[in-house]
Amino acid sequence: MGERVEIFEVGPRDGLQNEPHPIGVAQKVALVDKLSDAGFGRIEVGSFVSPKWVPQMGESDKVFATIARAPATRYAALVPNMMGYGMAVTARADEIAVFASASEGFSKANVNATIAESLDRFRPILEEARHIDLPVRGYVSCVTDCPYDGAVDPANVARVADQLFAMGCYEISLGDTLGQGTADSVSRMVLAVRDHVPAGRLAGHFHDTNGQALDNVDCALALGVRVFDGAIGGLGGCPFVPGAAGNVATEALNAHLVRLGFETGLDQTALDNAATFAQSLRAPAPVG
């Protein structure tokens, strides 16, 4: 058997959150259930953010209440603050995630706070989660490029990742939010972060805007990263890059890793079926 690499499925949250037309609870539940059948260890189901800002995630509590939970799968939720944390606990999320940016410009635009202010918001969440043994994952966005600040210094990424890890995040997912990362920029970034957070506690989160996602996966693999986020059917994208492709497609990522000789534990046929269903949830392309 080959070395193990895990794919963390983020399609039901990161993939669907930017879809412009309403997607019903039943459809979201069906997507999660199809993904559970594929054998994932972790699936990000939804987020407990204000429906005013992310309408698509407004019924995440109902999705959590309805999914068929596989015994070997942890079902995760993204939370921005203590209110979201409380909702996630009530919904029986198996783990939660918090998110920060490596770029001041993106942080101010995305959460209306500086990086330091956003990190301060997470400290009570981590403290409360620790008391109930609830795992917390940390996301860092804009790890190579920012739509406001341009190229991001790897030292900034390392600083944010280090603080999230020190707070108690069990894993830090490094997000190339714009999909502008290259082999060089991704390698320099991972090397900088690895000086502060062990490679075994890192995950790669690559968007495929420029068709570089799998190349960037390979760079991270070479530096010891063994967890990667994927979105089934390539769902998602970045609202700051009109027309940009979404997250790396889970089914393509799995096939790529298997070709390289890694073991993922996922059923490729089930992934392909889930990808077809995921694509059916997207709004049809405008005519003319």
Side-chain angles (χ1 to χ4, degrees), residues 75-191:
Y75 297 91
L78 189 75
V79 303
N81 49 38
M82 283 300 296
M83 181 179 291
Y85 167 79
M87 295 173 71
V89 171
T90 299
R92 296 191 304 116
D94 297 309
E95 68 172 74
I96 60 172
V98 296
F99 53 97
S101 173
S103 155
E104 290 289 359
F106 191 84
S107 183
K108 290 170 184 173
N110 193 37
V111 297
N112 195 32
T114 65
I115 295 172
E117 289 168 343
S118 71
L119 291 171
D120 284 342
R121 292 176 183 175
F122 302 145
R123 297 183 198 282
I125 296 175
L126 269 294
E127 186 63 29
E128 290 295 322
R130 188 177 299 114
H131 290 320
I132 61 172
D133 293 326
L134 183 66
V136 184
R137 194 181 201 229
Y139 284 103
V140 183
S141 57
C142 294
V143 296
T144 63
D145 299 88
C146 169
Y148 305 103
D149 300 341
V152 175
D153 187 339
N156 292 345
V157 186
R159 191 175 304 113
V160 175
D162 182 45
Q163 291 185 70
L164 287 170
F165 190 59
M167 281 185 207
C169 290
Y170 76 91
E171 184 173 85
I172 309 299
S173 176
L174 303 169
D176 176 18
T177 309
L178 273 63
Q180 303 290 337
T182 63
D184 179 61
S185 63
V186 168
S187 295
R188 287 188 291 108
M189 179 272 297
V190 173
L191 284 168

Side-chain angles (χ1 to χ4, degrees), residues 64-81:
F64 268 96
T66 312
I67 56 175
R69 299 187 184 224
T73 305
R74 295 209 315 243
Y75 297 91
L78 189 75
V79 303
N81 49 38

Side-chain angles (χ1 to χ4, degrees), residues 227-242:
V227 178
F228 295 93
D229 298 350
I232 197 70
L235 293 174
C238 179
F240 302 100
V241 185

